[in-house]
Amino acid sequence: MVSVIGNWKLEIGNELMNKGVHRFALLVACATFFLIIAGALVTSHDAGLATADWPLTEGRFLPKVESLGISSGVNMVGNLFWEHGHRMVATTVGLLTIGLAVFLFWKEKRSWVKKLGLVALAGVVAQGLLGGLTVKLMLPLVVSAAHATLAQLFFCTTVSLAVFTSSSWNQDRPLIEESRSLPLRYLCVAAAVAIFLQLIIGATLRHSATWDKPLPTDLLLTHIGGAVAVTLLLGSAALMILRRYGSEAFLARPAKIALSLLALQLLLGVAAYITRVASPNDPQPLNPMVAVTVAHVACGALVFATTIVLTLRVFKVLRPSEQALKFSAATQRG
């Protein structure tokens, strides 16, 4: 009897600890999403060179808050508010990522999840170094675009960790064999790759011209073409999942969310273009252009993250039939 009670307490303790790891991973993912928004605000306000110092701002880190007795900190006014605020959020995310990596090595049993935690840690370090290079090298386009792109990859890494540590992922689920010719996993991967390439194009477009200059036409047209490709691939994948496995909430829920976010992202893209075309005539970056552009960046990150979740879940529960694999191989051979 004592042994049974002891085992029961151990199982309850492990379940609570697993929930703790998952909740901490969710916290890191949410903080990273907020960091992407903070970075987008820096770009939209053209505040990247508000200070030439890095990693400190004017030799300080803490903001000036006289009510708390901090009178010699950073004066958070103008573009310093956006740039230094971004650095403070980035520091917080870095510390949280270190904590998550330690937490995973302490309590996570799966070695590959621990390694993914190390990948996240390496990603946040690399992201911080790229952020410093953007300042020290005076915002070169390649480094700035790489900084923005790596932010999206890091965000999806933290989202993946939140998925892998969740109870919905770790519970046993029956495999479903796909009877159709085209395995959905390939379509989901293609959609994720297209979104990632679109994010690279979008980051390059945003950093290629400040608010007071017109956007490069070639990049703009490429970005529009990428939007068409993403719509076709992600829309097809999500609609196929809903048509074939609409009763499977594990698959249908992220598919519905992906479609909703995709529609919102397209609307935000149009609105961002309209406000951005008018911005060169404005005396400074105005709130409508800033708000819509930042929302477009944030929604793009959510579309990418949701597609990653959808792809991971498809790989977990859908198994391509032998006939489907043969069809895919024949198609690739041409």
Side-chain angles (χ1 to χ4, degrees), residues 88-163:
M88 294 184 70
V89 176
T91 302
T92 302
V93 171
L95 294 174
L96 287 174
T97 307
I98 294 172
L100 178 59
V102 173
F103 207 172
L104 289 172
F105 267 82
W106 180 32
K107 289 299 180 182
E108 178 58 55
K109 296 179 180 179
R110 295 164 294 178
S111 61
W112 60 272
V113 177
K114 295 179 181 179
K115 292 177 181 177
L116 187 60
L118 289 179
V119 170
L121 182 57
V124 79
V125 171
Q127 180 69 348
L129 293 176
L130 279 176
L133 282 176
T134 59
V135 175
K136 291 300 183 180
L137 299 180
M138 305 294 287
L139 303 181
L141 177 59
V142 174
V143 179
S144 298
H147 182 57
T149 302
L150 183 56
Q152 300 284 353
L153 284 176
F154 174 69
F155 176 49
C156 285
T157 303
T158 61
V159 169
S160 298
L161 284 168
V163 170

Side-chain angles (χ1 to χ4, degrees), residues 12-25:
I12 294 296
N14 288 336
E15 183 179 351
L16 290 175
M17 187 55 67
N18 290 336
K19 287 184 177 179
V21 174
H22 172 60
R23 288 169 181 169
F24 196 86

Side-chain angles (χ1 to χ4, degrees), residues 58 131 240 245 261 304:
E58 299 177 345
M240 281 185 180
Y245 310 104
L261 288 173
F304 190 31

Side-chain angles (χ1 to χ4, degrees), residues 12-302:
I12 294 296
N14 288 336
E15 183 179 351
L16 290 175
M17 187 55 67
N18 290 336
K19 287 184 177 179
V21 174
H22 172 60
R23 288 169 181 169
F24 196 86
L26 274 179
L27 173 64
V28 176
C30 292
T32 304
F33 179 64
F34 185 69
L35 177 58
I36 289 175
I37 294 176
L41 284 167
V42 170
T43 304
S44 294
H45 283 94
D46 195 19
L49 294 178
T51 175
D53 291 350
W54 186 87
L56 299 177
T57 299
E58 299 177 345
R60 303 177 180 87
F61 176 73
L62 292 177
K64 182 178 179 181
V65 185
E66 294 184 352
S67 60
L68 298 178
I70 307 175
S71 57
S72 60
V74 179
N75 195 16
M76 302 287 282
V77 295
N79 281 345
L80 274 180
F81 175 84
W82 304 111
E83 173 61 15
H84 190 68
H86 173 57
R87 295 183 184 187
M88 294 184 70
V89 176
T91 302
T92 302
V93 171
L95 294 174
L96 287 174
T97 307
I98 294 172
L100 178 59
V102 173
F103 207 172
L104 289 172
F105 267 82
W106 180 32
K107 289 299 180 182
E108 178 58 55
K109 296 179 180 179
R110 295 164 294 178
S111 61
W112 60 272
V113 177
K114 295 179 181 179
K115 292 177 181 177
L116 187 60
L118 289 179
V119 170
L121 182 57
V124 79
V125 171
Q127 180 69 348
L129 293 176
L130 279 176
L133 282 176
T134 59
V135 175
K136 291 300 183 180
L137 299 180
M138 305 294 287
L139 303 181
L141 177 59
V142 174
V143 179
S144 298
H147 182 57
T149 302
L150 183 56
Q152 300 284 353
L153 284 176
F154 174 69
F155 176 49
C156 285
T157 303
T158 61
V159 169
S160 298
L161 284 168
V163 170
F164 295 141
T165 55
S166 66
S167 58
S168 62
W169 179 269
N170 291 308
Q171 70 184 46
D172 293 332
R173 294 183 179 276
L175 289 175
I176 304 173
E177 184 171 300
E178 291 191 80
S179 58
R180 306 302 178 95
S181 57
L182 177 63
L184 276 170
R185 59 177 58 190
Y186 298 147
L187 190 56
C188 288
V189 169
V193 171
I195 294 170
F196 177 60
L197 294 176
Q198 176 73 338
L199 290 173
I200 295 175
I201 297 169
T204 306
L205 179 64
R206 272 175 55 76
H207 289 90
S208 62
T210 54
W211 60 274
D212 56 342
K213 298 177 182 178
L215 293 171
T217 304
D218 53 347
L219 275 176
L220 181 61
L221 292 176
T222 304
H223 194 50
I224 293 173
V228 173
V230 168
T231 301
L232 293 175
L233 289 170
L234 181 56
S236 299
L239 289 174
M240 281 185 180
I241 288 173
L242 292 176
R243 188 173 70 248
R244 299 179 188 178
Y245 310 104
S247 60
E248 296 288 337
F250 188 70
L251 296 175
R253 187 177 296 115
K256 291 177 181 177
I257 295 174
L259 283 176
S260 300
L261 288 173
L262 177 62
L264 177 60
Q265 180 69 345
L266 292 173
L267 292 175
L268 286 172
V270 174
Y273 172 73
I274 294 173
T275 55
R276 183 62 178 78
V277 166
S279 68
N281 299 319
D282 299 329
Q284 63 183 31
L286 299 182
N287 288 335
M289 185 275 291
V290 172
V292 172
T293 306
V294 171
H296 186 50
V297 173
C299 190
L302 291 178

